[in-house]
Amino acid sequence: MLKRFFLNALSSFLGAWVAIVIFGAVCVMVIVGLIARLGVSQATQNQVTKDSILTIDLKGEIDETEMPVDFDYSTIVSGDISKKQSLALLTSAIEAAAENKNIKAIYLKCNSIASSPATLNAIRNSLLKFKESKKKIIAYGDMLAMGDYYIATVADELYMNPGGNLALKGLGGITPFFKGLFEKIGIEFQVVKVGTYKSAVEPYINEQMSEPARAQLDTLYGSMWGIICDGICEERKGVTPAKIDSLINDDFIFLRPAKTAVTAGMVDGLYYERSMDSIIAVGINKKKEDLNFVDPSLLVTQEQLLTGLSSKNQIALVYASGEILDGGGGNTINYEKYVPLIVSLAENENVKGMVLRVNSPGGSVFGSEQIGEALDYFQSKGKPLAVSMGDYAASGGYWISSCANRIFADPLTITGSIGIFGLIPNVEGLTKKLGVNMELVSTNPEAVFPSLFQPLNSRQLKGMQEMVEDGYDRFVSRVAKGRHMSENKVRRIGEGRVWDAVTAMKIGLVDQLGGVEDAIEWVAQDLNIENYDVTRYPRYETSVWDLLPNVMNMQLKEQIRKSLSTEISPVLLKRVERTLSRKPLQALMPEIQVGFISN
């Protein structure tokens, strides 16, 4: 009997190992196949030859810089394994196209870009600078969403499909309120905060938006919409802000046929996409057969983005993109990674200065404080620090920005939100629904404070409020020091309120309107150096998941989506999970998803 047991155990053990070996071999074969396919794809790509046209596909979301694919469960559920384009790559390619003699024009393919206004503005400004080379920009869209249109208005020629329409609707955002959802499952949120406008907690404790929150968003959207309309009108002669509002409010242009956009002077003509080769050829006085359409990645490789590591005159460009977390990975700002990086740059003799590119709504108070202190250490070495703000640099994002020697922001950047809150979930109702009774035994009343399984009492709430106020005092003190203001003034413009960059500059939170290149140029001038290299951080290693977007079978993605989808939106599930996993003390702006209202 014992012998048979060991024989069975041994056979099971060997069977398991054989299965593992076979599985490993299959994985290796799949990976080799993916790499081979990608290699063939790259080998057969067009080269930048005479009469080349840089083609920019305005599609999907745009990351700040090249990022590894964040492959997780939610990625599989959504079926979105595609790799996003990056702002750094697009703007570098546009700059290179202006100088490359083989590039004769830029072709903008409008395919519903879905990025925030400041990112769109950065692309648009790069294209405006490209026009100084006297090369043409030609744009086309089957359907012109508002974000596409805002960028495409810089084009010398702007065309649309006869069956399409111009989805001009305005600027806005939708905020979901989860109080009813959490009540159904037995979770309530206990809140302590500083700041009348600190509305990041509202979706979890209110059923609708408060008046202060609505007032600040009305002002924010109005200011940003004014900048966008002015930009469109500067490029589309005869178009005025009043005309744009009339087309939206009175004429419902987003419901009208494409010819309405031509009549209104919003686009130049109507063609099907198959005609664009001929139109581009005529536009640059070349033969259609000689045109060579190239991708931005051909002009700018990853190696080019990371040049200058051996240079003795380096300006470090550090991208801080995403929510500030204590730990965490993917597209987040993990202080455990950023603090050592900043310290190493401070102690690197070749690094003479830094531009910190901030695109963050904030997050952990502790993480923000650690990164801020590391930046102070960098400056203590006599090295200048400039901040370039992206879509938003608010709350914790402003905490890490505030002591820079100079702060740059795009006119459509959202910044400020100087405030702190504590959000403590209580799941006592949920445990009762599940039939679970939690019993506490402790040596001291606060041994398990804060507990998820019972509400805070008045003493505990008082202690949390004092903790939040102490954190707010440190925040205010840091901003006052960095911006050379009195603490009273900081408190007046703080209160958790978000500001558009134009207003933020007027009240002293921002020094200058501009982008990354402006910040780099300022650092170089401050250092009084003409010859320097820009090195981008953090660096990352390309993984096998980065190859998947190029070769993943679309039918397989669809099958995964159908197999793992649930009745509840994965996006909402992820947001709820993220909220419950956050540390109690946060410096986080409201989850404002500013976007052009389109289809």
Side-chain angles (χ1 to χ4, degrees), residues 13-261:
F13 177 77
L14 288 174
W17 272 104
V18 169
I20 291 172
V21 170
I22 292 174
F23 176 74
V26 170
C27 288
V28 170
M29 292 173 65
V30 170
I31 292 171
V32 170
L34 292 176
I35 294 172
R37 288 182 63 181
L38 183 60
V40 171
S41 173
Q42 290 179 336
T44 57
Q45 278 185 334
N46 291 332
Q47 300 300 310
V48 183
T49 58
K50 184 181 178 182
D51 296 336
S52 290
I53 308 296
L54 174 62
T55 303
I56 296 178
D57 193 0
L58 300 177
K59 182 179 182 179
E61 296 181 28
I62 308 294
D63 275 334
E64 272 290 322
T65 187
E66 295 295 287
M67 299 291 291
V69 174
D70 192 11
F71 189 81
D72 57 17
Y73 173 79
S74 61
T75 305
I76 298 176
V77 170
S78 67
D80 183 14
I81 312 178
S82 58
K83 188 173 182 179
K84 299 174 186 176
Q85 298 185 86
S86 77
L87 179 62
L89 179 66
L90 291 178
T91 54
S92 296
I94 293 168
E95 181 181 355
E99 300 174 357
N100 192 313
K101 294 180 180 179
N102 289 327
I103 300 294
K104 302 304 181 184
I106 289 179
Y107 175 38
L108 299 178
K109 295 183 66 174
C110 300
N111 284 313
S112 299
I113 192 169
S115 288
S116 295
T119 292
L120 304 181
N121 207 42
I123 298 171
R124 193 174 189 272
N125 287 336
S126 293
L127 291 167
L128 286 170
K129 190 173 182 180
F130 170 86
K131 293 179 72 172
E132 296 174 5
S133 67
K134 306 303 180 182
K135 300 179 182 181
K136 277 197 170 184
I137 301 174
I138 299 173
Y140 172 85
D142 285 331
M143 309 282 288
L144 285 174
M146 188 65 222
D148 298 326
Y149 184 73
Y150 180 56
I151 293 177
T153 52
V154 306
D156 300 281
E157 301 172 30
L158 172 54
Y159 302 107
M160 187 168 63
N161 191 300
N165 60 20
L166 176 57
L168 245 105
K169 293 186 179 180
L171 190 67
I174 296 176
T175 304
F177 285 76
F178 297 98
K179 182 181 178 182
L181 169 64
F182 285 115
E183 284 179 347
K184 287 180 180 179
I185 61 178
I187 298 177
E188 67 169 356
F189 285 91
Q190 302 151 108
V191 172
V192 287
K193 67 169 186 170
V194 177
T196 303
Y197 296 92
K198 199 64 180 176
S199 55
V201 299
E202 289 188 2
Y204 310 106
I205 60 173
N206 293 350
E207 293 180 346
Q208 59 187 18
M209 192 176 292
S210 69
E211 286 305 313
R214 184 174 296 278
Q216 73 168 337
L217 289 181
D218 279 342
T219 302
L220 179 70
Y221 291 152
S223 298
M224 296 173 76
W225 181 238
I227 293 170
I228 290 163
C229 286
D230 288 344
I232 292 172
C233 296
E234 287 174 7
E235 301 303 318
R236 301 298 304 180
K237 303 306 178 186
V239 177
T240 64
K243 182 175 183 178
I244 292 174
D245 285 335
S246 177
L247 286 170
I248 296 171
N249 302 334
D250 302 327
D251 299 335
F252 282 69
I253 190 171
F254 49 90
L255 299 178
R256 303 277 81 86
K259 63 182 180 181
T260 307

Side-chain angles (χ1 to χ4, degrees), residues 219 223 227 398 407 409 411 415 483 485 489 493 499-513:
T219 302
S223 298
I227 293 170
Y398 194 78
I407 298 177
T415 189
R483 305 308 300 157
M485 296 180 184
K489 182 177 180 180
I493 62 179
W499 303 92
D500 66 276
V502 174
T503 306
M505 188 171 70
K506 293 178 182 178
I507 61 178
L509 295 179
V510 168
D511 293 307
Q512 185 174 332
L513 299 179

Side-chain angles (χ1 to χ4, degrees), residues 342-364:
I342 295 168
V343 170
S344 69
L345 295 175
E347 296 174 350
N348 186 333
E349 294 182 358
N350 292 337
V351 175
K352 307 303 182 184
M354 182 197 299
V355 172
L356 182 68
R357 173 68 171 181
V358 180
N359 196 347
S360 173
S364 162

